[in-house]
């Protein structure tokens, strides 16, 4: 089934929130956090008012016009750093693909699309999320900081 990538539109905001929730790493055998976790300020600021700030950007992956994944990035200030904050001029990436479509190259395609528009990028990934970490490393991201089970990775194109 062919996958298409498109630039996000304001109507995609609910799907972006779904993808932010799915981007939270859940270890095998564990239950995902309740959706209310998206109301926590450190997580909420990834998408609150998305599209209203300079640097907000996202790509949506679709099959037959139905969204199946999203990658998004946003700039953060030093006074409001996100988990993978590196610098005020480096957008931080978040992304997810719905479960049935994971492992098929969709994440790599979305990541490549955003990296082409934002050569410098950072992210936070859980040490237990081996598949995501492997994707990021193979895309040129390197670990710049480790705190507990979280790694901050950075890429400059």
């Amino acid at each position: 089934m062919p996958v298409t990538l498109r630039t996000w539109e304001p109507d995609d905001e609910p799907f972006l929130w779904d993808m932010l929730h799915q981007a939270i790493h859940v270890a095998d055998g564990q239950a995902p956090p309740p959706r209310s976790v998206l109301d926590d300020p450190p997580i909420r600021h990834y998408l609150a008012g998305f599209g209203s700030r300079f640097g907000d950007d996202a790509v949506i992956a679709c099959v037959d016009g139905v969204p199946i994944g999203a990658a998004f990035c946003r700039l953060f200030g030093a006074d409001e750093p996100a988990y993978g904050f590196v610098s005020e001029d480096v957008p931080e990436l978040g992304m997810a693909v719905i479960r049935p479509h994971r492992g098929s190259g969709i994440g790599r395609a979305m990541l490549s699309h955003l990296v082409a528009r934002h050569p410098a990028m950072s992210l936070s990934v859980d040490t237990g999320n081996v598949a995501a970490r492997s994707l990021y490393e193979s895309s040129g991201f390197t670990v710049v900081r480790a705190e507990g089970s979280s790694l901050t990775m950075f890429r400059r194109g």
Side-chain angles (χ1 to χ4, degrees):
M1 71 189 107
V3 175
T4 57
L5 299 181
R6 64 171 174 78
T7 301
W8 82 285
E9 300 169 359
D11 288 347
D12 293 315
E13 186 177 347
F15 183 70
L16 291 175
W17 284 101
D18 290 344
M19 293 297 92
L20 178 59
H21 187 244
Q22 288 200 27
I24 298 168
H25 178 68
V26 178
D28 288 340
Q30 299 295 312
R35 189 158 169 96
S36 61
V37 73
L38 298 177
D39 294 329
D40 293 348
I43 295 174
R44 182 167 184 71
H45 77 158
Y46 278 95
L47 290 175
F50 195 78
S52 65
R53 293 169 39 171
F54 174 78
D56 286 355
D57 194 11
V59 61
I60 307 292
C62 300
V63 171
D64 294 329
V66 177
I68 59 164
F72 48 90
C73 63
R74 174 170 255 187
L75 293 167
F76 293 98
D79 60 337
E80 54 146 2
Y83 290 108
F85 180 80
V86 171
S87 171
E88 291 184 341
D89 62 344
V90 175
E92 184 172 343
L93 170 75
M95 63 184 275
V97 175
I98 62 172
R99 287 198 188 281
H101 297 280
R102 291 181 184 170
S104 61
I106 296 166
R108 182 175 303 281
M110 292 188 306
L111 180 59
S112 295
H113 187 81
L114 277 186
V115 163
R117 298 195 320 223
H118 307 275
M121 196 171 282
S122 68
L123 58 90
S124 176
V125 64
D126 191 280
T127 56
N129 195 342
V130 177
R133 184 174 175 186
S134 177
L135 167 65
Y136 300 139
E137 288 173 340
S138 69
S139 298
F141 285 83
T142 58
V143 175
V144 295
R145 184 172 59 250
E147 293 180 28
S149 65
S150 179
L151 302 174
T152 297
M153 300 182 81
F154 174 72
R155 180 191 191 281
R156 183 171 305 279

